Amino acid sequence: MKVAVITEDQLAKDWTLSEKDIQFVLSSARTEIHQIRCAIYFCILRKTGRFATERFELSLKAINYLADQLMQESLLQIPNLDYSKADYVRFVKIQEYLNYKDFGDVEKQNLNDWCLQQTQYYPLNNQELVVKAKEYLLSKRILLPSPSSLGRFIAKAVKNSHFGLFEQIVNCYPNHELSQLDNLLTSSDNSVYTELMAFKRPPPEPSATVINKFLSYFEILEKLKIPECDLSKISPKVIETISQQAKNQSSWGIRRIKPDQKRYAILICFLAESTKTILDTIIDMHSLLLGDIERKSKNEFKLQRITMIGNAKTSREKTLEFTKKALSCESPETMTLADFLVTFNRDELHNAVKTAEEYEEFEERGIVRNMTKRFSYMRKYSKKMLKLNFEAATGNKPLMEAINILRNHHENGEKNFPTDPPISFLPKAWRDNLYDDQGKFQIKYFEMGVYYAMRQNLNKGDLYLTDSRHHRYFWDNIYNPVDWQDQREESYSDLDLPTEFDQVQVKLTKELEENVKRVHDNLEKDGFATIIEGKLKLCREDALEIPPEVKHLRRQIESAMPTIRIEKLLAEVDKITNFSAAFLPNQKERPLPKKPLYAAITAQATNIGIYAMGQSNQGITAETINGFSERYITEENIQNGNAILIKHTQAYPLTQVYGGGNYSSSDGQRFGIQSSTPLSAYYPRYYGFYDKAISIYTHVSDQYSVFHTSVISCAVREATYVLDGLLLNKTVLNPEFHCTDSHGYTDHLFALCYLLGYSFQPRLSGLPHHVLYKMDKNNQYGKIDCLFNGSANLEIAKEQWDIIVRVAASLRNSIAPAHVIIQRLAGRGDKVAKALQALGRVVKTIYILRYISDPGLRRKVHLQLNRGESRHSLAKTIFFDNRGVFKTSDYEEIMNKASCLSFVSNAVLVWKTHQTQQILDRLRREGYKVDDALLAKISLLSSKNIIFHGTYNFEEIS
């Protein structure tokens, strides 16, 4: 037997015997040593579902705990378990007593059926399924077979269940014309490119040509009848996992997959996922293109307006001159029109009037007219786009009618265009421009208006495509009414929310009144905020002070810190944490070399790339690095690796000085990008008006660790992505307080964070200009009443309470991505959006009152945001190659680089924490007193002493 270390909790949980258990043990053996052995067998079977073997780890502490319960003296060593015939008899008795069944034929069939069910709904690998199978067998009180036998059984069951799953997927394909799918794997023109590769290419920047290309891809899928495949009975996660196999293999590799059913199932799943991606891409590009047209049209309008204003000014001067002359004549009452026209220049007067009319018309129609100039460009793809199977929510019938009118117009021309088409759904600017000066209906203005209305309603989720992933009907993104009834009680309990809004209103009222009183008490004393002439005025707050003692302590730590290259740092951190287990989960029996793994991670994180890393190191080829990168550098593996690093970081006493992991922040960091991609956008503040950039949005804990990373466009509001990181967090961290900069907040986000149990604490720029809302407009708040400029309509929140909790529960349980829900809510004006907005306004008001009256809160927010900036600084140092500019347009490749960048910054954190802890321990042993308050002001993410560039030598890593 191996000796195990055991905790007090494990002792109580696994080795405690009831009075009945003790009587059973005593009656099953006569001598004390046999009674101890019987008790050991008993506890091990109850815990593991197996009888004890020589490989099982025992603790002398546990043995003596059993001896104490059996009223025996303590033992000095663990007893030998020789498994005599008497022991076998005791095994049978223990099995009967605990009501454990043998793993017989019936149990095998039940386990096989269970495996089939699991693999249909969860994309588990064999190892994960073995763990779950053990839990299943234990719950059914079935004796576990040996690990090797169970492993073989699970492998066989998975193989059989996968075959059944592949059959089920293939049977969903209409008409079973499977052979046509093979045509995608062959090249028609003897080139190396196959039709399947088109569905793998990342989309470039939007243009009419590109949208047409993606529409043609969708037409191919329609001809293959992929949208007709009903895969609703198969878990989306399983479909996604199976489709990934096609994405990761070449067409030649897919052609070799046997049996045929497996190959066809992989292709069907991949094409079904591609259908969603292509539709999303088409709609997103359409929206971006219209946004670009609108931006350019407004810029043209501004330039044209300068000239028009000059002409209008001249016209106004002429008109004034005419009027003054008319009024200054000796007898204006006797002047006729003929006299007036003789006195003044008729042509000049006519031109002045014409110029004034033109300017008035320009102000009303200039922007719309500029946008409509691009009508012919839009027509290059819009005819095909309108053929997509759009559907609309109730209340959007006029828009669907207009879409059908345009479809008919595109096929038959103007002769069948209705004389009175629906226009109520059009934005006002387009309705005002539908008729020209002669009163003739302008079809192209109507059509352009429809495209903009479509964009608006697609963003709200009221116009949708059922086969899309993100542009579905808004209410399909949350629990449907039937599922909600099943989940309702549990969801209210999980969210810790009352079923009646009245209780929430009472709680919010109390919080608001408490914070109003705090502002009253601290407004003048604190010196941060004052009220001058009825308006809030803020003093400029100083930066967080860095005392000289902090600088001295930091120099001491840095001088004692060793210098290390990044590849060696990764190796040392792996020895400390064993993070490589997350990347090589199925290689326990035959471990693969770790050096190529370090090389692949370093290549991605530093932006060197795989080819350049192959030329910049000794001993590892680019081909080897590429193989490791494709197979092991996945989003899931990086997440698991980060979880290991973060968990290990918390074991250091030093980490607790910075916080308990319950505070976090999120912020975007801009990086340049050279390739064409829909994600790229102009960011003039840092990249001027010619270069584009993307944003890596990271969530950072108060312990400096990065627990979520996403890649987003610089053009979108970052508030959309705040909840994604909090809800998808799979680490030991438990953020309860979250802060952002001003661009990271909306009223809806305040409400959803409140419902989900997060305290949202953004740093709001222009704080005095934010509107504060009363819960009752009749309430009076004394000297600060002037700060309240609005009142929140909580009656609508009360009316919609169950629905907004349903939205929150859907987010909590990942029914749809949080950013999709928040994006849709931002564009909606229905009762649900208004209810969330009203609730968010009250929560925001309470927070602002706290912020201006609580210096401690302000310091926490500033400190946490500074820690996020510290992480940004490290990321900029690590991601050094190509001047920190992305060269690829492939989203997965960009995401891999961003995720590896976060992973390496977490590895740096572990190494710096480990080294700093050792230095501090040595200083304290030498009698040096280290104040934790000073230590908390020293960043753990300094890049000093770490070398990221140069020639990488993985051969020297032991």
Side-chain angles (χ1 to χ4, degrees), residues 114 126-136 150:
W114 176 86
N126 288 15
Q127 195 171 25
E128 292 173 318
L129 200 57
V130 166
V131 173
K132 285 186 168 288
K134 289 178 182 177
E135 296 172 357
Y136 167 79
L150 183 61

Side-chain angles (χ1 to χ4, degrees), residues 119-121 164-174 176 178 181 221 224-244 261-276 466-467 469 472:
T119 52
Q120 280 186 323
Y121 293 96
L165 184 62
F166 296 147
E167 285 280 358
Q168 187 180 356
I169 293 169
V170 168
N171 289 336
C172 294
Y173 190 72
H176 306 291
L178 296 167
L181 298 178
L221 295 171
L224 292 172
K225 300 182 179 179
I226 295 299
E228 297 177 30
C229 290
D230 183 11
L231 300 174
S232 58
K233 294 182 180 179
I234 301 168
S235 165
K237 279 288 185 185
V238 171
I239 295 172
E240 185 181 340
T241 302
I242 293 174
S243 71
Q244 197 66 31
Q261 298 297 86
K262 180 178 180 180
R263 180 175 72 257
Y264 292 135
I266 290 172
L267 284 171
I268 290 169
C269 288
F270 172 72
L271 295 173
E273 289 295 291
S274 296
T275 301
K276 297 177 182 179
T466 304
D467 294 325
R469 180 179 291 111
R472 298 184 295 167

Side-chain angles (χ1 to χ4, degrees), residues 289-448:
L289 205 58
L290 286 178
D292 192 49
I293 288 174
E294 190 171 8
R295 178 180 60 82
K296 289 178 179 177
S297 299
K298 286 181 178 178
N299 289 339
E300 287 178 7
F301 175 80
K302 289 176 183 177
L303 294 174
Q304 293 165 348
R305 199 167 187 262
I306 295 171
T307 304
M308 293 294 291
I309 287 175
N311 294 336
K313 184 179 179 181
T314 304
S315 171
R316 186 172 66 251
E317 290 172 351
K318 284 286 184 184
T319 305
L320 286 172
E321 182 185 344
F322 295 151
T323 305
K324 287 178 180 178
K325 284 183 178 180
L327 293 174
S328 64
C329 50
E330 294 180 359
S331 53
E333 65 279 356
T334 61
M335 180 178 285
T336 64
L337 177 61
D339 296 334
F340 182 85
L341 293 177
V342 169
T343 306
F344 303 106
N345 188 314
R346 181 173 184 171
D347 291 336
E348 287 185 4
L349 183 62
H350 178 75
N351 289 334
V353 173
K354 183 180 178 182
T355 301
E357 289 176 343
E358 286 176 351
Y359 180 73
E360 184 179 357
E361 183 186 20
F362 172 78
E363 286 289 346
E364 289 180 357
R365 302 190 176 191
I367 295 177
V368 171
R369 188 175 294 164
N370 286 343
M371 287 192 280
T372 310
K373 287 179 183 177
R374 276 85 175 178
F375 175 72
S376 58
Y377 180 76
M378 291 289 298
R379 270 290 193 92
K380 290 181 179 179
Y381 75 87
S382 59
K383 288 184 178 182
K384 288 176 71 174
M385 187 188 74
L386 285 182
K387 293 179 181 179
L388 297 176
N389 188 26
F390 289 104
E391 296 181 54
T394 306
N396 283 266
K397 184 178 178 182
L399 176 57
M400 278 306 303
E401 187 180 342
I403 291 173
N404 289 326
I405 287 171
L406 289 179
R407 288 169 176 166
N408 184 57
H409 171 61
H410 293 160
E411 290 181 7
N412 304 312
E414 294 185 17
K415 59 182 180 180
N416 293 322
F417 202 89
T419 56
D420 188 23
I423 62 172
S424 60
F425 61 90
L426 289 174
K428 184 178 183 302
W430 294 98
R431 289 201 306 271
D432 293 345
N433 286 277
L434 288 177
Y435 295 90
D436 62 14
D437 296 336
Q438 287 73 41
K440 183 180 178 182
F441 188 81
Q442 301 186 90
I443 295 176
K444 66 179 181 179
Y445 279 83
F446 173 77
E447 186 167 338
M448 284 293 285

Side-chain angles (χ1 to χ4, degrees), residues 3 6 40 45 76 237 418 436 447 573 581 594 669 708 721:
V3 179
I6 193 167
I40 294 171
L45 176 59
L76 298 177
K237 279 288 185 185
D436 62 14
E447 186 167 338
V573 171
K594 296 178 181 179
Q669 184 176 15
H708 184 77
Y721 292 87

Side-chain angles (χ1 to χ4, degrees), residues 806-871:
R806 184 169 135 204
V807 171
S810 302
L811 292 176
R812 170 71 73 188
N813 297 320
S814 301
I815 302 301
H819 68 269
V820 172
I821 297 292
I822 294 176
Q823 284 172 356
R824 301 294 174 266
L825 286 170
R828 298 179 68 82
D830 59 6
K831 289 185 176 181
V832 175
K834 289 179 179 177
L836 281 166
Q837 186 178 52
L839 177 61
R841 284 173 171 176
V842 172
V843 176
K844 182 181 75 172
T845 297
I846 293 171
Y847 169 70
I848 290 175
L849 293 174
R850 283 186 60 207
Y851 189 87
I852 63 178
S853 63
D854 186 352
L857 173 61
R858 295 197 297 272
R859 279 196 298 270
K860 284 182 179 178
V861 172
H862 282 282
L863 178 61
Q864 181 56 35
L865 290 175
N866 284 350
R867 287 175 179 171
E869 291 298 328
S870 178
R871 190 268 162 188

